[in-house]
Amino acid sequence: MTRVLIADDQALLRGSFRVLVDSAPGLTVVGEASDGVEAVALTRVERPDVVLMDVRMPEMDGIEATRRICAETDARVLMLTTFDLDEYVYAALRAGASGFLLKDTRPADLLAAIEVVASGDALLAPSVTRRLVAEFARLPSGPVTRLDAVTAREQEVLTLIARGLSNDEIAARLHLGIATVKTHIGRLLHKLAARDRAQLVIAAYESGLVRPTAS
């Protein structure tokens, strides 16, 4: 059973999300928070697998709450917002979020996203990836992440992850087995202290390994 915590300052939306999540097999809501402070506190107590986190909330916004939750617990955060803005995409993923969805996402897609994030993967939809790339294009130049310990082959894998390729596609492109690709990804996660695929994408851009090609 995947345990879900809902954090949103609008009671009606929290209630709607609760009904939706509790109606899905294998998912259960373990708590609701009306602001970031409450979300952090409840996460410490309830230990959910996934936190559905609103961006704009009183007391403490969703970005700061995400940063604290990811630093203090193993919970994974799926950001939800009505604001489709670059700054939120970058800030949310940089804070440790494993996914980013708009609140007008179809119910079935939201439930699928929860499962994806709970499984330890990251949810990077093409539209979100484009915004993330655009945000990097606007940042001051200069690598932040160092790749000294990353091998040449691992850098190839990291580049393809940042370009949005799946494990199967990476395996085909580099003529590797799926198990080998997963091994490389596991080593990258360890060496770059990354929680998941979303963090690897950020590392690839911040290191300068991959350059923004979209606007």
Side-chain angles (χ1 to χ4, degrees):
M1 184 68 70
T2 298
R3 297 162 56 82
V4 180
L5 177 71
I6 299 168
D8 196 295
D9 62 339
Q10 298 183 49
L12 181 59
L13 281 177
R14 290 200 308 274
S16 298
F17 286 141
R18 174 182 278 276
V19 171
L20 175 64
V21 173
D22 278 338
S23 69
L27 302 179
T28 185
V29 175
V30 296
E32 297 180 24
S34 60
D35 58 52
V37 173
E38 191 176 3
V40 174
L42 280 175
T43 300
R44 291 170 180 157
V45 174
E46 298 295 342
R47 295 290 173 174
D49 300 299
V50 177
V51 179
L52 293 183
M53 181 76 75
D54 188 20
V55 171
R56 292 190 174 184
M57 293 186 292
E59 302 299 329
M60 179 190 295
D61 66 25
I63 303 300
E64 179 58 27
T66 295
R67 186 176 293 108
R68 298 190 186 190
I69 286 171
C70 292
E72 299 175 13
T73 75
D74 293 327
R76 296 187 176 275
V77 178
L78 179 58
M79 303 297 299
L80 294 170
T81 183
T82 55
F83 302 96
D84 191 9
L85 301 176
D86 297 349
E87 62 185 282
Y88 292 130
V89 175
Y90 176 72
L93 295 178
R94 195 69 183 88
S98 296
F100 191 101
L101 290 176
L102 295 180
K103 288 182 179 178
D104 63 0
T105 297
R106 295 187 309 168
D109 291 339
L110 174 58
L111 296 176
I114 292 173
E115 296 286 7
V116 168
V117 171
S119 72
D121 209 340
L123 186 77
L124 290 175
S127 61
V128 170
T129 302
R130 284 195 297 272
R131 289 175 178 81
L132 182 60
V133 171
E135 181 66 15
F136 276 111
R138 298 194 299 140
L139 293 174
S141 59
V144 174
T145 302
R146 297 182 63 85
L147 301 179
D148 297 346
V150 178
T151 67
R153 176 61 90 182
E154 289 166 354
Q155 289 189 29
E156 289 181 307
V157 172
L158 183 58
T159 297
L160 296 180
I161 289 174
R163 294 302 187 198
L165 274 66
S166 67
N167 288 357
D168 288 340
E169 292 169 331
I170 293 173
R173 180 74 64 87
L174 298 180
H175 305 291
L176 300 172
I178 289 294
T180 301
V181 171
K182 290 182 177 178
T183 297
H184 284 312
I185 292 175
R187 289 173 179 167
L188 284 167
L189 290 170
H190 175 71
K191 290 180 179 180
L192 299 176
R195 289 171 61 90
D196 52 35
R197 213 178 189 90
Q199 298 296 291
L200 290 181
V201 172
I202 287 179
Y205 281 99
E206 287 190 338
S207 68
L209 178 66
V210 177
R211 300 292 182 182
T213 58
S215 58

